[in-house]
Amino acid sequence: MNDQQRNKLLYILSILLLFPALLINLGLMTFIDDEGIRTLVALEMKLSGNYITPTLHGEFYYNKPPLFNWILLGYFKLLGQINEFNTRIPTLVSLLGFAATVFYCFRKKYGTYTAFVLAMTLITCGRILFWDSLLGLIDITFSWLVFVQFMVIYQQFQRRNWLWLFALSYLCTALGFMLKGLPAVVFQGFTLLAYFIYQKEFKRLFYWQHFLGGMVFVLVVGAYYAVYVQYNGLDTVFQTLFTESSKRTAVQFGWWRTFLHLFTFPFEMVYHFIPWSIMILYLLRRDLWKVLQQDNFMVYCALIFLANIWVYWASVEVYPRYLLMFCPLLFGIFLHLHQNAAVQQPWAAKVVNGFMAISVVLMVLTLTIPLFLPQTQSTPYLYLKSGVLLLLAGGLAYLYRYWQPQRLLIIAMLLLVGRIAFNWFVLPNRNANDYGDACRKSSIEAGERFRNQDLYIYRKTGMQWTNSIYLTNTRGKIIPVKMEKMDPKALYIVDPARYFNAVDSVSELKVRHGRRHFIIGTLKAKR
């Protein structure tokens, strides 16, 4: 079997492994807070019939524009119900679309194998494989769109097709804005500035094509807000969107924490994007820029990464999921340098290859652990599942030893096997011991019990969004906030830590955070 045949075999096996890796027990865990927000906004749109102005508990929600909520509603309608699994399916579709786009953009220049490996590194980096691909959040969809924005600018620049460059990239910016607000505009601005200045085409940013392309953004976003203003004013909207984009900086956290973050940020990100981030060692060479300049696309990837990453590097409260659009850029550079590292950087190649070999051994050994852990002994078909996974992992480890040109792809496949094990053995035990499951059960029970009764949130009780989505979805009614003119016959959700002795309790809601509870009850009679 030659390398081409081996590659084809591994492509097929990789794709087959993707489905169980990404789908098994996808809907098992309780909604986290951000998932609860996204799903609740979409649900309230459906319940109110108002698809223009997002709300939470009937009050205007300003933090994000509504495009992702519309996407969720489309999936809910297609799949038939609102639940954890259906909320997370859009994330997986976007992840696969993101990976396919990476493959498409890199294939012509670097060949099928390199492009396929790069797509798989995106899916199997630690942060995505064991966290973000399990959640129904905006970030993977947004990152995919931003990456498309990057690629449009590069490809159309190479063709000198200025009108299409600006029109298509601003269309991506507009859609990105409708997903997440101002960050999409920031990406567009810094990318255009950096690349056009580097290519000595800065003056083209003032040509008519740029202004005409910018009108695409104005028309798309302006059309939405022209309708929005018929329901609500715009002052709070744009003020909140700006605050959302700036609140994680030194303005909020102070200069000392920001200064410390500048040093810790690279190490934190290397940790989150293991194992592929270990190749960052390849960047430790004096002639790095000279090497990258031999390939204009590698220069573009590096330039756009540097032009945009500083925004997050300087922000204290940054979650790794905000950086996913950079993964193909940086991983692409890593793979480019990896090809000749054994000759040009033997010390780095030895460290990277040694790390990968140790990882293979550890992944195989880890798959034996469920056979002995007390927490996994109740897993259905424990020995069958463990046996299948060990057989797969053992076979891949054998191929890793003898199919050296395919080693990176084999590691990606081993990571998919590890995710299947995670789905089978870790998630059920985690769910059984997660306080979120108790929160979900108590919220659903309360929703069923009080389905036909008027229910309000009492004054400034700070609802936890996990409770909110399960209560609202079960009852099929928006639960509004009640600040005044209390209805003595209605029920109220109260935070007893804030409003002690406000209601006579008829039920309790367990919450995800704080090991506290909320009370559902009727107003106490005035004495």
Side-chain angles (χ1 to χ4, degrees):
M1 187 180 292
N2 58 38
D3 279 344
Q4 188 174 7
Q5 292 171 323
R6 291 174 178 178
N7 291 345
K8 287 182 179 179
L9 175 62
L10 294 180
Y11 299 156
I12 294 170
L13 292 176
S14 298
I15 293 170
L16 290 176
L17 283 172
L18 273 175
F19 291 97
L22 296 178
L23 291 174
I24 291 174
N25 281 334
L26 180 65
L28 182 63
M29 297 297 293
T30 309
F31 285 125
I32 65 169
D33 293 341
D34 280 356
E35 285 184 296
I37 293 173
R38 307 295 157 238
T39 312
L40 183 61
V41 170
L43 175 57
E44 290 198 9
M45 285 181 171
K46 179 182 177 182
L47 295 175
S48 67
N50 181 347
Y51 297 91
I52 303 300
T53 53
T55 63
L56 282 174
H57 290 299
E59 298 190 324
F60 291 121
Y61 174 70
Y62 299 107
N63 289 13
K64 295 289 186 295
L67 180 54
F68 190 71
N69 307 114
W70 296 342
I71 292 171
L72 285 178
L73 284 170
Y75 278 92
F76 293 154
K77 185 171 183 179
L78 180 66
L79 300 173
Q81 58 181 319
I82 298 174
N83 57 30
E84 298 88 347
F85 184 87
N86 293 346
T87 298
R88 293 160 185 166
I89 283 294
T91 294
L92 297 190
V93 173
S94 292
L95 177 59
L96 295 176
F98 192 178
T101 304
V102 170
F103 176 78
Y104 173 80
C105 292
F106 280 77
R107 183 185 182 186
K108 276 189 177 181
K109 195 168 182 66
Y110 303 106
T112 299
Y113 178 76
T114 298
F116 192 87
V117 170
L118 182 58
M120 290 298 291
T121 63
L122 172 69
I123 295 172
T124 60
C125 67
R127 176 69 195 194
I128 289 180
L129 188 62
F130 294 101
W131 185 254
D132 289 306
S133 62
L134 287 157
L135 302 173
L137 301 177
I138 293 175
D139 301 277
I140 287 179
T141 303
F142 178 71
S143 296
W144 177 21
L145 190 59
V146 172
F147 180 76
V148 171
Q149 184 178 333
F150 292 157
M151 294 300 104
V152 163
I153 292 172
Y154 176 78
Q155 291 178 358
Q156 297 305 319
F157 193 104
Q158 301 310 304
R159 298 167 186 169
R160 320 296 284 184
N161 197 337
W162 309 115
L163 181 58
W164 278 110
L165 184 155
F166 292 118
L168 292 175
S169 66
Y170 274 105
L171 176 61
C172 291
T173 306
L175 295 174
F177 183 92
M178 293 298 293
L179 279 171
K180 207 172 181 179
L182 289 177
V185 180
V186 173
F187 280 119
Q188 177 76 343
F190 286 132
T191 301
L192 290 178
L193 276 173
Y195 197 52
F196 276 69
I197 289 173
Y198 176 79
Q199 293 286 359
K200 299 179 181 179
E201 293 282 4
F202 178 70
K203 63 183 180 181
R204 288 204 174 272
L205 296 178
F206 300 94
Y207 282 22
W208 66 269
Q209 292 97 331
H210 190 183
F211 291 101
L212 194 60
M215 286 302 299
V216 173
F217 176 87
V218 173
L219 289 172
V220 172
V221 176
Y224 166 69
Y225 284 107
V227 179
Y228 183 99
V229 77
Q230 299 178 36
Y231 296 87
N232 189 30
L234 296 178
D235 292 346
T236 306
V237 173
F238 292 113
Q239 180 182 350
T240 304
L241 289 175
F242 178 79
T243 302
E244 279 290 294
S245 300
S246 61
K247 67 183 182 181
R248 295 178 174 88
T249 63
V251 174
Q252 180 180 359
F253 290 95
W255 291 106
W256 175 243
R257 283 193 62 184
T258 302
F259 181 73
L260 287 177
H261 176 73
L262 293 176
F263 288 96
T264 60
F265 176 79
F267 299 100
E268 291 176 10
M269 294 309 111
V270 168
Y271 164 75
H272 283 289
F273 294 98
I274 284 291
W276 311 114
S277 55
I278 190 64
M279 294 188 196
I280 198 170
L281 295 175
Y282 293 145
L283 303 185
L284 302 178
R285 54 187 299 174
R286 293 179 180 179
D287 62 342
L288 176 63
W289 187 247
K290 183 178 179 181
V291 171
L292 294 180
Q293 282 184 310
Q294 297 172 13
D295 186 316
N296 60 2
F297 187 56
M298 288 294 104
V299 169
Y300 180 76
C301 289
L303 190 67
I304 300 315
F305 174 79
L306 293 172
N308 290 282
I309 192 63
W310 70 268
V311 177
Y312 296 95
W313 201 329
S315 302
V316 176
E317 193 177 63
V318 171
Y319 298 106
R321 67 174 184 261
Y322 299 164
L323 310 177
L324 303 182
M325 68 288 296
F326 298 125
C327 289
L329 304 180
L330 205 53
F331 293 172
I333 293 172
F334 291 165
L335 293 182
H336 181 71
L337 297 173
H338 180 74
Q339 292 176 353
N340 298 310
V343 175
Q344 298 180 359
Q345 281 181 286
W347 71 270
K350 286 180 180 178
V351 174
V352 170
N353 292 330
F355 178 86
M356 295 299 184
I358 292 171
S359 298
V360 169
V361 174
L362 290 177
M363 281 188 278
V364 175
L365 292 177
T366 300
L367 292 175
T368 65
I369 294 176
L371 294 170
F372 308 103
L373 278 180
Q375 296 92 326
T376 56
Q377 295 308 301
S378 60
T379 302
Y381 307 107
L382 171 63
Y383 290 97
L384 177 60
K385 290 176 178 177
S386 294
V388 170
L389 294 179
L390 280 168
L391 188 63
L392 279 171
L396 289 170
Y398 177 84
L399 296 182
Y400 180 88
R401 172 68 178 84
Y402 292 102
W403 291 10
Q404 294 188 21
Q406 290 80 25
R407 279 182 169 177
L408 293 181
L409 181 52
I410 291 168
I411 289 172
M413 295 171 67
L414 273 166
L415 288 165
L416 292 178
V417 173
R419 168 63 188 271
I420 296 172
F422 183 83
N423 296 339
W424 273 341
F425 305 126
V426 176
L427 289 181
N429 180 67
R430 181 178 292 180
N431 183 63
N433 295 283
D434 179 27
Y435 207 68
D437 190 46
C439 166
R440 170 170 52 189
K441 289 176 180 177
S442 71
S443 299
I444 292 173
E445 288 170 0
E448 292 172 344
R449 180 179 174 186
F450 306 121
R451 186 188 301 273
N452 299 316
Q453 294 178 256
D454 291 332
L455 181 64
Y456 300 96
I457 297 168
Y458 186 79
R459 300 186 185 277
K460 294 184 179 181
T461 291
M463 284 295 290
Q464 294 194 14
W465 304 118
T466 303
N467 295 101
S468 298
I469 180 57
Y470 289 115
L471 275 168
T472 304
N473 193 34
T474 304
R475 295 180 75 247
K477 303 172 187 176
I478 294 174
I479 305 171
V481 177
K482 195 79 166 176
M483 298 294 293
E484 56 186 6
K485 297 181 181 179
M486 302 298 177
D487 181 357
K489 297 181 181 179
L491 294 172
Y492 295 86
I493 303 172
V494 176
D495 181 355
R498 182 164 191 158
Y499 299 106
F500 178 73
N501 210 31
V503 298
D504 290 316
S505 176
V506 297
S507 183
E508 288 185 356
L509 286 177
K510 298 189 183 300
V511 297
R512 287 188 76 237
H513 304 294
R515 295 279 177 170
R516 300 182 295 112
H517 65 276
F518 289 155
I519 291 173
I520 298 178
T522 56
L523 294 175
K524 283 186 176 290
K526 294 183 179 180
R527 296 180 181 177

